[in-house]
Amino acid sequence: MRVSRRASGRVHRAWREALRVLVLRPDLWPTLGRFVPPRWWARWPPLPLPPVGFLRFRMEAMYGPGGALDGDDLVRFLEWCRRTGRPAR
């Protein structure tokens, strides 16, 4: 799947925002495991990251075309996932 530069840039900005927020909230790190795809170690690069298409879909569903991740929304979503025990997918 090819990813446009614009979509790729949004995903990179989303990762930066997520890292910025989550560095301050280590209690939410275990909840992030719900985003990790099965057998992540079998794909290159072997990093436990969700697929780019999944992140694009989530960002467009939440913020519309061209929207950007809001760190506070991410924290609220992960707290909700942890509190309800629901999977994040």
Side-chain angles (χ1 to χ4, degrees), residues 12-77:
H12 284 96
R13 281 192 302 279
W15 275 117
R16 283 194 301 271
E17 178 67 9
L19 286 173
R20 183 189 72 75
V21 170
L22 293 171
V23 161
L24 303 173
R25 293 293 307 268
D27 59 306
L28 294 175
W29 294 356
T31 308
L32 289 173
R34 297 176 184 185
F35 287 103
V36 176
R39 295 184 42 86
W40 60 267
W41 62 88
R43 289 185 285 262
W44 190 258
L47 299 171
L49 302 174
V52 172
F54 172 76
L55 290 177
R56 276 196 338 245
F57 167 76
R58 283 287 189 182
M59 286 195 306
E60 188 163 333
M62 289 178 67
Y63 303 109
L69 177 72
D70 179 11
D72 293 334
D73 285 347
L74 177 62
V75 168
R76 280 192 296 273
F77 175 68

